[in-house]
Amino acid sequence: MEKNLNLSLKVWRQKNAKDKGQFETYKVNDISTDMSFLEMFDVLNERLIVEGKEPIAFDHDCREGICGMCSMFINGRPHGPKQGITTCQLHMRSFNDGDTIVVEPWRASPFPVIKDLVVDRSAFDRIISAGGFISINTGNAQDANALPIPKDDADESFAAASCIGCGACVAACKNASAMLFVSAKVSQFALLPQGQPERKQRVMEMVAQMDSEGFGSCTNTGACSAECPKEISLTHIARMNRDYISAELSSSK
Ligand code: SF4
Ligand code: FES
């Protein structure tokens, strides 16, 4: 049943990349439990604009868990307290009347803060540009049964492709490792016939770009997968590591 909440928000405010930044506290009243977390921010921002104050900058686009833009730490967890969802899919019914909610941007040096809760995730775009594609001519769309693919492989490739590039895995990791993201992008091609011609080159180039962007090493804590809104599995990291070793061995022959 719909209820209304009175909340206290502690939000990270930072004018630009050079500003030191600080938390500011806002009271928000009469928030419907049916609102999404971002709609609650819309209500606050409308009030700030009416008061002549600077609204809080936050990223968003699809508002349905597809684009991966709505990155923020809520009470110390990427995308908030619920498993397997993005911030735009988080509803205010997950909070209680009188709660204090702390909201921060992703904290990882390869994702510098641009303003308030908005970070620059273009490091991910550069990793994709390094190899997250196939460049062979696949021709016209074929009949679905012209290129048989085992069902398990197709399912696992699809699961890897569901990564939305949100960066929660990096933000959750104490080393700011991007291994879950990169391995999902490597796996989605490694499992399909179309991904084979460039399989070795792809993994080498994407890992090299990941390292050059300053992401940390993976120490197998699993925080990435636990906080991933698409529940991307750690098995993709294992596959990427195997592919990387095999590519390196064959290139050094
Ligand atoms: S692996 Fe998960 S947490 Fe990381 S970018 Fe992809 S969807 Fe986001
Ligand atoms: S706004 Fe697109 S995933 Fe949240």
Side-chain angles (χ1 to χ4, degrees), residues 3-220:
K3 283 193 304 194
N4 283 356
L5 307 175
N6 295 331
L7 303 161
S8 183
L9 291 180
K10 278 182 77 179
V11 184
W12 185 258
R13 301 301 311 261
Q14 184 173 334
K15 285 193 180 66
N16 52 48
K18 292 202 176 117
D19 181 29
K20 216 158 55 90
Q22 76 287 321
F23 281 107
E24 278 182 27
T25 304
Y26 303 92
K27 298 277 178 210
V28 281
N29 295 334
D30 255 353
I31 296 296
S32 160
T33 48
D34 287 346
M35 277 183 190
S36 75
F37 200 82
L38 298 188
E39 285 169 334
M40 182 270 296
F41 260 124
D42 293 339
V43 169
L44 172 58
N45 272 348
E46 278 167 21
R47 193 189 86 201
L48 291 176
I49 291 166
V50 168
E51 291 171 357
K53 296 180 184 152
E54 183 76 12
I56 298 161
F58 62 95
D59 257 337
H60 59 102
D61 189 1
C62 70
R63 296 200 175 206
E64 49 188 13
I66 299 169
C67 71
M69 294 293 287
C70 53
S71 337
M72 56 183 89
F73 250 87
I74 302 164
N75 287 344
R77 292 186 63 185
H79 298 298
K82 296 280 176 188
Q83 213 70 22
I85 57 168
T86 52
T87 302
C88 58
Q89 295 172 302
L90 176 66
H91 281 89
M92 296 312 296
R93 67 181 77 99
S94 305
F95 300 92
N96 298 311
D97 190 35
D99 274 0
T100 296
I101 307 174
V102 182
V103 191
E104 296 171 77
W106 284 172
R107 304 279 189 196
S109 56
F111 291 159
V113 174
I114 298 172
K115 185 173 182 183
D116 297 337
L117 304 173
V118 179
V119 301
D120 178 356
R121 287 179 295 124
S122 57
F124 271 11
D125 299 335
R126 290 187 289 275
I127 294 171
I128 294 293
S129 300
F133 51 84
I134 56 171
S135 53
I136 55 167
N137 184 355
T138 55
N140 294 331
Q142 304 183 24
D143 283 348
N145 59 1
L147 190 61
I149 298 171
K151 174 85 169 73
D152 287 350
D153 289 351
D155 286 350
E156 213 174 328
S157 173
F158 188 80
S162 70
C163 163
I164 53 174
C166 65
C169 45
V170 174
C173 175
K174 66 185 169 88
N175 308 321
S177 167
M179 289 285 271
L180 194 67
F181 164 75
V182 180
S183 69
K185 300 302 174 192
V186 165
S187 254
Q188 76 184 62
F189 297 112
L191 286 156
L192 298 178
Q194 295 92 332
Q196 300 314 307
E198 294 161 301
R199 184 171 178 168
K200 291 180 178 171
Q201 181 192 342
R202 175 179 307 110
V203 70
M204 298 279 277
E205 289 177 3
M206 290 181 81
V207 168
Q209 188 64 37
M210 172 182 79
D211 290 344
S212 77
E213 296 289 348
F215 292 103
S217 307
C218 173
T219 48
N220 294 312

